[in-house]
Amino acid sequence: MERIILIETSTSLCSTALVEDGVVVSYRESDTARAHASLTAVFVKEMLDEKGLAVSDCDAICVSKGPGSYTGLRVGVSTAKGLCFGAHKPLLAVGTLDTLVAQACDERLLPEGCRHVIPMIDARRMEVYAAVFTPDGTQLTQTEPQIITEESFASILEEGPVLFVGDGAGKCESVIKHPNAHFVQCCPKASGMLRPTLEQYKEKRFEDIAYFEPFYLKQFVATVSAKKLF
């Protein structure tokens, strides 16, 4: 029986899940702003205590690798690495967009006759991180930042119903007006990582714990405050 800890901190929602024998048996989440650093490790401990377990009783730890919030991803990856190093467990990493597609399928969010799923992570203003997937989770295009306009994904929308899902989907709804466009505004959850995580674990696609880095897509840029402190 595989036992895996799942950690998802790529957006405003911080969540963790504990998987046993292919089923989520414990789950925690919070959308409290700027609380990922204080909640992630606490959530993991609460889940393990609930089941009378330790990290050493688990077979692997899986973390969301992005794209998403720079700070959120750093918190999740740092926590996962710490757990792996401390308990000598392997590390898995699942893409945020893969999680959203799996989540849409698991929660039955797909419109009837859905041809494509386009998961979107908010990148501020009218920009999103997105890629095109089939409903079974096959990625058809590269993950890249895109500025949303009325013509975005026009050729794909002509082929049939498309689900836009993620925390970047809501702002696109006011711009993309094609009748085949369906929108679900939501954040990726640790529970949505279940299927892609199990696939990776079965194939033993583990990450190098020492050198693994999140997929930021855009590098974090530090700025100097315009306010004079002294």
Side-chain angles (χ1 to χ4, degrees):
M1 177 179 74
E2 74 275 354
R3 185 179 288 125
I4 306 173
I5 297 169
L6 311 180
I7 298 173
E8 219 307 324
T9 57
S10 65
T11 63
S12 60
L13 185 71
C14 173
S15 62
T16 63
L18 179 63
V19 174
E20 288 185 347
D21 200 21
V23 177
V24 172
V25 296
S26 186
Y27 180 77
R28 297 288 190 281
E29 72 170 43
S30 173
D31 60 1
T32 302
R34 295 181 292 278
H36 291 41
S38 61
L39 291 178
T40 307
V42 172
F43 282 171
V44 172
K45 185 178 186 303
E46 286 180 354
M47 294 190 307
L48 293 173
D49 288 348
E50 180 182 294
K51 297 297 179 180
L53 300 169
V55 180
S56 57
D57 296 313
C58 299
D59 298 293
I61 289 86
C62 185
V63 67
S64 174
K65 67 179 179 182
S69 158
Y70 179 91
T71 302
L73 290 171
R74 293 300 296 178
V75 169
V77 170
S78 296
T79 303
K81 283 188 173 186
L83 295 171
C84 291
F85 274 124
H88 305 288
K89 298 298 178 180
L91 175 68
L92 297 164
V94 169
T96 311
L97 302 187
D98 297 273
T99 295
L100 283 169
V101 175
Q103 191 171 303
C105 294
D106 294 342
E107 297 182 5
R108 300 181 180 180
L109 302 177
L110 303 182
E112 185 175 355
C114 183
R115 295 291 301 276
H116 297 95
V117 180
I118 302 179
M120 295 179 156
I121 296 297
D122 188 9
R124 298 184 181 180
R125 298 185 178 87
M126 287 311 295
E127 191 173 30
V128 296
Y129 303 139
V132 180
F133 288 72
T134 60
D136 66 2
T138 301
Q139 187 167 346
L140 302 178
T141 65
Q142 289 187 333
T143 301
E144 57 187 3
Q146 299 197 29
I147 297 174
I148 300 302
T149 69
E150 293 179 358
E151 299 304 315
S152 295
F153 308 105
S155 61
I156 293 174
L157 285 163
E158 288 297 324
E159 297 178 17
V162 176
L163 175 66
F164 295 89
V165 61
D167 70 344
K171 65 184 181 183
C172 299
E173 189 170 5
S174 62
V175 178
I176 300 175
K177 296 298 185 180
H178 196 285
N180 281 332
H182 301 262
F183 301 88
V184 174
Q185 175 79 7
C186 66
C187 290
K189 304 175 184 177
S191 55
M193 298 168 66
L194 178 62
R195 281 197 291 156
T197 296
L198 293 177
E199 289 175 7
Q200 289 194 20
Y201 181 77
K202 183 179 180 181
E203 297 171 4
K204 299 188 182 302
R205 285 189 276 148
F206 301 125
E207 303 290 342
D208 185 314
I209 301 172
Y211 294 101
F212 174 75
E213 290 289 336
F215 177 42
Y216 297 119
L217 202 57
K218 280 187 176 182
Q219 290 297 318
F220 175 72
V221 178
T223 58
V224 178
S225 174
K227 296 181 181 179
K228 292 185 178 180
L229 301 180
F230 301 100

